[in-house]
Amino acid sequence: TQLLEQSPQFLSIQEGENLTVYCNSSSVFSSLQWYRQEPGEGPVLLVTVVTGGEVKKLKRLTFQFGDARKDSSLHITAAQPGDTGLYLCAGGPLESGNTPLVFGKGTRLSVIA
Amino acid sequence: GAGVSQSPSNKVTEKGKDVELRCDPISGHTALYWYRQRLGQGLEFLIYFQGNSAPDKSGLPSDRFSAERTGESVSTLTIQRTQQEDSAVYLCASSFGTGGGYEQYFGPGTRLTVT
């Protein structure tokens, strides 16, 4: 069974600070997705990374897929209160066929103004 | 276009009663997923449907839980003889296919409270 471990589980920071959250596994994934979930809503996709070593930027968010495609990180620069939410990583299994994404348990971020 | 919709948005039921939760996926999406999210927790996979293949029920926590899907459209998650530990938000998602290349589009969830 493939598992994704996210850390930290909780993070509370002041507005303007930088932060990094991690998504790690002992398994290789075909791709890695990051979702953000705000209170009372379903998760929304932020980015998909598919190539080992790939880096993608989305405004103040930087996503990296590890060279071995076993881990990923999300770095937020100058965090804003609007960044508050639950950040979930999800890995695409290597097996072909009908195998769904594997979700981590999430990092709950609180940015205080 | 319309996103994934779920109904009801909130459901309060008494312990021991049965409940049905509905999910309308995005038209054309062949894959449909159900997840459970307890307060302050991540997503717990329950079941998914892919086209006409047999559903993957490996995440269902007990035989009180079941789900059906009509073709590639509406799905219903049924919880029989509800227990207080069933209280959670139940999220439905759909995608064009399964696996890492496909984004999952989530509905807003149904908040179930068992009293």
Side-chain angles (χ1 to χ4, degrees), chain A residues 41-102:
Chain A
E41 300 181 6
V44 175
L45 181 70
L46 295 174
V47 77
T48 301
V49 285
V50 297
T51 305
E54 182 176 2
V55 176
K56 280 192 175 179
K57 292 192 174 184
L58 183 65
K59 297 183 180 178
R60 293 177 293 100
L61 279 60
T62 301
F63 304 84
Q64 185 166 10
F65 201 13
D67 291 342
R69 291 185 292 146
K70 293 182 178 181
D71 53 82
S72 181
S73 64
L74 158 59
H75 182 79
I76 302 178
T77 303
Q80 304 294 312
D83 296 328
T84 293
L86 178 68
Y87 289 81
L88 295 158
C89 65
L94 285 180
E95 299 87 355
S96 60
N98 299 329
T99 308
L101 295 175
V102 174

Side-chain angles (χ1 to χ4, degrees), chain B residues 8-44:
Chain B
S9 56
N10 284 282
K11 176 71 176 178
V12 180
T13 190
E14 293 180 351
K15 177 181 174 181
K17 295 285 181 68
D18 298 352
V19 295
E20 281 190 357
L21 312 180
R22 177 187 170 107
C23 173
D24 284 87
I26 293 173
S27 178
H29 281 192
T30 60
L32 185 148
Y33 312 80
W34 283 98
Y35 297 90
R36 179 168 68 180
Q37 187 173 35
R38 291 200 165 100
L39 185 63
Q41 302 296 311
L43 302 183
E44 177 185 358

